[in-house]
Amino acid sequence: MTRIAIFASGSGSNAQNIAEYFADKNEFSISLILANKPDAYVLNRAKNLNIPSFVFTNKEFQTSEIVINKLKEHKIDFIVLAGFLLKVPSNLINAFNNKIVNIHPALLPNYGGKGMYGMNVHNSVIENKETESGITIHYVNENYDEGQIIFQAKTLITPNDDAESLASKIHILEYKYFPEIIEGAIRG
Ligand code: GAR
C-alpha cells in the first residue's frame, strides 16, 4: 500500500480528481491533504472525501519540522503537489527524495519560476500570443519548476481563447493525465 499526501493552496479540483481516481485502487491510499491556507476550498473537498487534512503556515513550512512530522505520523510514502504555491524547503525534499511530483500549467521550461502560477501563467501565455500551451508533470527539486520532467501534454490556443478559456483547456488535460502519471511514477 502506497500512502499518498496531496498539497494544495486553493480550490483543489485536481486533488479531488486524484482522490477519486485512486479511490478504488487497493494498492494506493490518498491518506492526507495539506494546505497552507485555512480558507482553501480544498479543505472542504477533503472533508467531503473523508480524507484527513492538515493546515500549516508558510513560516511553519519553511522553518520547522511540523509538516514532516505530520507526514511521518500518517506514514506517507509519496507526495503530490496539485496547485500548491509555496517553495518546498530542502528538509522536505531530502526526506522524500524523488518522491515528490508537481503539476505546472504550462510547457516548462517556458512560463515557470517564481510568481508563475495559476492564472498568472495563462495571462502571460495569452499576452504573448502563444499558439500552444500545456501541462508539465515533474519531480520537485529545490528550484521552482526545475525538477526532472516526467510528462508533458499540449493544447492549441485559438485566437478566440482568453486566459479563462485556456485555464479550462489546461484543467481538462490535468484531470485526464495527472492521476495516471502519478500512478506510473509510484510504480516506477
Ligand atoms: C492547476 O492548474 C495547477 O496546474 C496550477 O494551479 C492550478 C490549481 O487548480 N499549479 C501551479 O500553477 C503551480 N505552479 P486546482 O486547485 O483546481 O487543482
Side-chain angles (χ1 to χ4, degrees):
M1 162 79 79
T2 302
R3 296 175 60 82
I4 302 168
I6 304 177
F7 284 63
S9 297
S11 164
S13 70
N14 275 286
Q16 178 162 348
N17 180 56
I18 295 162
E20 287 169 355
Y21 175 89
F22 284 106
D24 61 356
K25 293 187 186 281
N26 295 335
E27 310 120 275
F28 303 91
S29 150
I30 304 301
S31 304
L32 186 63
I33 290 182
L34 301 98
N36 60 301
K37 291 180 189 158
D39 58 350
Y41 189 71
V42 70
L43 296 167
N44 295 46
R45 297 186 195 266
K47 206 169 171 195
N48 292 336
L49 290 158
N50 272 322
I51 298 172
S53 60
F54 182 66
V55 182
F56 53 86
T57 65
N58 298 1
K59 190 167 177 215
E60 285 169 337
F61 190 49
Q62 300 299 339
T63 64
S64 83
E65 299 282 312
I66 281 181
V67 171
I68 290 193
N69 289 341
K70 192 47 98 174
L71 295 167
K72 281 187 188 154
E73 187 189 309
H74 286 263
K75 300 190 165 41
I76 298 302
D77 305 298
F78 197 87
I79 293 174
V80 174
L81 309 184
F84 183 64
L85 306 182
L86 299 183
K87 189 167 178 183
V88 179
S90 51
N91 60 349
L92 187 52
I93 288 167
N94 293 335
F96 287 85
N97 187 25
N98 267 328
K99 292 199 164 102
I100 309 178
V101 295
N102 178 48
I103 191 157
H104 187 77
L107 296 169
L108 292 175
N110 299 331
Y111 300 98
K114 199 166 170 25
M116 274 294 167
Y117 56 83
M119 292 307 293
N120 295 350
V121 175
H122 306 312
N123 283 322
S124 298
V125 169
I126 293 289
E127 269 165 31
N128 289 342
K129 302 199 186 319
E130 300 285 358
T131 54
E132 62 177 25
S133 187
I135 61 169
T136 303
I137 298 167
H138 63 95
Y139 287 106
V140 173
N141 68 15
E142 285 172 38
N143 300 321
Y144 272 112
D145 303 326
E146 284 182 16
Q148 185 201 331
I149 291 175
I150 305 168
F151 175 85
Q152 293 187 304
K154 288 181 184 175
T155 186
L156 291 178
I157 301 173
T158 66
N160 291 333
D161 274 321
D162 58 14
E164 272 74 30
S165 67
L166 176 57
S168 303
K169 287 181 173 178
I170 294 292
H171 263 131
I172 289 167
L173 290 180
E174 293 183 331
Y175 301 153
K176 180 170 180 199
Y177 291 112
F178 199 16
E180 65 187 56
I181 297 298
I182 294 166
E183 183 177 357
I186 293 171
R187 288 190 193 278

